[in-house]
Amino acid sequence: MKANIAVLPGDGVGPEIMAQALRVLAKIGEKFGHEFVTKEGLIGGIAIDEIGNSFPDATRQLCEQSDAILLAAVGGYKWDNPTAPDRPERGLLAMRKHFELFANLRPVKTYPALAAYVPLRADLLEGVDILFVRELTGGAYFGPRKEMGDGDDAYDTMLYSRAEVERVANVAFRAAQMRRKKLTSVDKANVLASMRLWRSTVVKVHEEYSDVALDHVLVDACAMHLLTRPASFDVVLAENMFGDILSDEASVLAGSLGMLPSASLGATAFGLYEPVHGSAPDIAGKNIANPIGMFLSVALMLRYSLQLEAEAQAIETAIDAVLADGLRTRDIARPGEDSATTTEFTDAVLAKF
Ligand code: IPM
Ligand code: MG
């Protein structure tokens, strides 16, 4: 097949891990006989510096003409001014909103080869395989807000409509049907009005999915249960900010934040694929970033936007094999243990195809 892919390396470690991801994608194209046409665009801090806009029109157009977007990371110390009119993160949020990518899938599993690196008892980690479905275009990220300005207050509003909850709940229930048929809906219905609407909407949507077992967990309790009984979760549905926080927490179960991929989807096959981690400015330019979250994001793109399941699995299997061989980037190595650079790790992955 032929596919057009918008490539947005962004900031910090973004360009380094993206360069390696494109090597992996090219190898898949070669091996399976596909033509992946990749075109680069600017997003985030580098787009502010070069164009004066964190989500430039040219990038929007490039993405609109593509079948999928691959993005690495945005942000950095340089743009951390709290009163600046534009921020790198705004570019990412504007893009998610522009394409109505309301469902963000974040799979988390424990790798047997890495279980010893996870700071939890080994018996708790057996069978950990969670799919977070994070609502991505609503809640406090997009509700009415007041910026700090010169005044003494500022606010963000957690606002949800029934329709917004319904569409993402449908995605989560359908995912659960194809997995272990268990859905945990996260909320804070004991305190927040928006979260009471969330819960009652999820209960209603559940009527169409009687084969899925649904439970509701308050977000604070969920944060604890993720560490005390992680293997009990199947699909976890959460509003935007709760999902952001819980997925970083859950990355510990996978060994490192650098391991997690994500897929952001809307009503069609078009999607945005990016690792869960940020731009890691502290290690940028050193060729030591873990590229696994980025590679697994490529796999999700092949699976969800291009319907190339065998190709997606080829990447996942290659990564499993390299980890089983004992190769580690610095974030998943123990103190004193040898670690591979980003390029060395990629070489090892490519050698598995
Ligand atoms: C994520 C990130 C983003 C978010 C930031 C960079 C805006 O933390 O994708 O999890 O908060 O959604
Ligand atoms: Mg986050």
Side-chain angles (χ1 to χ4, degrees), residues 106 134 141 244-245 247-248 276:
R106 300 187 161 188
R134 171 189 174 192
Y141 276 55
D244 179 46
I245 297 168
S247 57
D248 266 35
V276 169

Side-chain angles (χ1 to χ4, degrees), residues 13 16-17 20 111 113-114 117 254-260 277 283 286-295 319 322-349:
V13 296
E16 296 162 48
I17 56 172
Q20 303 308 314
Y111 291 79
L114 295 183
Y117 300 75
S256 161
L257 185 54
M259 304 289 295
L260 299 196
H277 66 74
I283 59 162
K286 296 185 177 162
N287 195 28
I288 57 172
N290 183 343
I292 295 178
M294 184 78 238
F295 295 171
I319 291 168
V322 171
L323 290 173
D325 287 348
L327 208 66
R328 305 279 178 263
T329 46
R330 206 188 59 162
D331 57 317
I332 47 174
R334 283 190 171 142
E337 197 176 41
D338 275 351
S339 57
T341 63
T342 310
T343 34
E344 283 165 355
F345 195 90
T346 309
D347 293 344
V349 171

Side-chain angles (χ1 to χ4, degrees), residues 17-18 27 63 75 87 113 136 173 233 240 255 294:
I17 56 172
M18 184 62 87
K27 187 83 181 232
C63 295
R87 302 174 54 78
L136 202 61
F173 277 112
F233 291 96
N240 202 344
M294 184 78 238

Side-chain angles (χ1 to χ4, degrees), residues 8 42-44 54-56 59-60 63-64 69-75 87-106 133-142 145 160 164 167 238-245 247-248 257 260-268 270-279 297:
L8 312 180
L42 297 170
I43 186 89
S54 58
F55 182 39
T59 301
R60 180 177 46 74
C63 295
E64 283 169 357
I69 308 168
L70 260 187
L71 182 142
V74 297
R87 302 174 54 78
E89 292 79 3
R90 193 202 65 87
L92 177 56
L93 299 181
M95 189 164 58
R96 290 171 177 172
K97 191 73 176 176
H98 176 75
F99 291 104
E100 281 289 315
L101 302 169
F102 60 84
N104 180 231
L105 312 188
R106 300 187 161 188
V133 178
R134 171 189 174 192
E135 201 291 326
L136 202 61
T137 50
Y141 276 55
F142 295 97
R145 71 178 45 189
Y160 272 106
E164 283 175 308
R167 62 184 183 176
E239 72 84 35
N240 202 344
M241 187 163 59
F242 294 167
D244 179 46
I245 297 168
S247 57
D248 266 35
L257 185 54
L260 299 196
S262 85
S264 303
L265 302 168
T268 66
F270 178 83
L272 160 65
Y273 300 85
E274 51 171 327
V276 169
H277 66 74
S279 62
S297 299

